[in-house]
Structure formats: C-alpha cells, structure tokens
Amino acid sequence: MSLSLPFVTQVGFDSGTLRPPHKRIQRRLSDMALMYADRAAAQRILAQEGDRLIYEYQFVELPSAEGQLPHGSTRILPGDIGGEYHMTKGHYHARREQGEVYFGLSGRGMLLLQTEQGATSALEMSAGSAAYVPPYWAHRTVNIGAEDFVFFSVWEARAGHDYASIERDGFRQLVVMRDGAPALAQNPKYA
Ligand code: PAN
Ligand code: ZN
C-alpha cells in the first residue's frame, strides 16, 4: 500500500475550471460527428462553421488502484446538431460493477442512462442535483439549456471507460428539440 496525501481543488461552478489545473480533455464535433443521429447536419456544420467545441472535462488523475477516487468537472456548451442537443460521448464502465456520482454545478442538463438488458432512464439535472449512476448503467449527459451545463463527478479509479458499443449504436433515447423544448425520442438504430 502506498499512502496518498490529502489535497483540495477549487472548482468553478460556472466554468468547471479546476485550480490548480489538472488534466483537461476537449471534445470537438469532429471527435463525435458520427454519434449524432443527423450525420448530414454534423457534416454541414463542420464544412460551414468549423470544428466547434462540444464539451470539455477536467479531472484529478489518480493512481489506478482500488479505492482511489478520481474526480472532476464536465462543461457542455449549449447548442444542437440537427436538433439533437450537445452531449457527451457517454460510456459504460469497463468494470461494469462500478457506479458513479454526478453533482450539478450550473446550467440545465439531462442524464441519459441505459443497461445492456434494455432498461433506460432520463433524469433532469441542474445546480444542486446529485445524480446516482448505479453499477451496470451506461451514462451520457446532455445540455438542454441556453447556458453551459456544468457538473462534477466522482468515480472509482479502476472503473475504466468503455465507449465502443455507444460509439457504434448510441443511446436508445435521443434528447431532441421539439417546438423549442427538450423531448425524448427513440434512436432509430434500436428500432
Ligand atoms: C465522467 C465523464 C465525462 C465525459 O467524468 O467521463 O463527463 O464524458 P465521456 O467520458 O462520456 O466523454 C464520467 O462518467 N467518468 O466516469
Ligand atoms: Zn463514468
């Protein structure tokens, strides 16, 4: 056993910025253009507007050892791709038995969850929402507001991120704009 030392990180509720800075990953439209239901709209935006930033996440990297708890923030910019709101890629944990906690810091979001057996869930989040991602549930967050949606998460160091099936099939539920408001739609890939 090696002993870790305690420390504190300041988190910007509106920006998600970590102080002192830690690892930061940005995902642009080109990183996930195939994940939006309207791929033609994604290609049109890439050609006309360029490679927009969809979300970024910053987290405290910790040794991959049992009991270590990496944590950090995610900021999803407002907007949509062909009527589907900006979202994270989403993933299962490679170790399916590992859960996670999300805590809303600012803005309005939707947390989509699903299991490999076909169960689905969609939870609204805002500042102060503590959402529980139980073991075995894939999870994706979506910005359904006009401002940045920012949340904080804590997961187990060995959970691992398995993006493969989501990259191939997406989530069963899509969060789309209907009459200017968010609504759930069925992903035709699962029909
Ligand atoms: C989160 C996510 C973060 C980015 O910290 O990793 O919101 O989403 P993607 O990993 O789906 O791109 C988490 O769930 N960690 O386990
Ligand atoms: Zn996760």
Side-chain angles (χ1 to χ4, degrees), residues 7 58-65 67-73 100-101 152-161:
F7 59 87
Q58 309 176 39
F59 59 97
V60 177
E61 273 189 300
L62 292 168
S64 181
Q68 292 282 359
L69 296 172
H71 50 279
S73 67
E100 184 160 358
V101 173
F152 188 78
S153 45
V154 185
W155 63 98
E156 215 267 0
R158 295 169 316 154
H161 296 90

Side-chain angles (χ1 to χ4, degrees), residues 76 86-88 90-91 100-104 108-114 120-126 129-134 137-144 149 151-153 171 173-175 184:
I76 309 175
H86 283 179
M87 61 193 185
T88 59
H91 56 268
E100 184 160 358
V101 173
Y102 278 12
F103 187 75
R108 282 181 64 214
M110 187 85 93
L111 171 59
L112 288 180
L113 303 108
Q114 69 183 34
T120 60
S121 171
L123 304 172
E124 284 209 31
M125 290 185 67
S126 56
S129 307
Y132 179 48
V133 178
W137 289 78
H139 38 291
R140 160 182 284 169
T141 39
V142 183
N143 186 342
I144 57 170
F149 171 52
F151 63 94
F152 188 78
S153 45
F171 273 66
Q173 292 178 302
L174 310 176
V175 187
L184 293 173

Side-chain angles (χ1 to χ4, degrees), residues 74-91:
T74 301
R75 176 174 74 99
I76 309 175
L77 282 72
D80 70 281
I81 307 295
E84 188 177 7
Y85 290 93
H86 283 179
M87 61 193 185
T88 59
K89 285 182 157 192
H91 56 268

Side-chain angles (χ1 to χ4, degrees), residues 24 27 36 48 54 56 76 83 111 135 149 155 160 163 171 187:
R24 180 180 185 141
R27 295 249 189 266
Y36 287 92
Q48 291 172 3
I54 306 285
E56 64 176 0
I76 309 175
L111 171 59
F149 171 52
W155 63 98
Y163 294 99
F171 273 66
N187 180 349

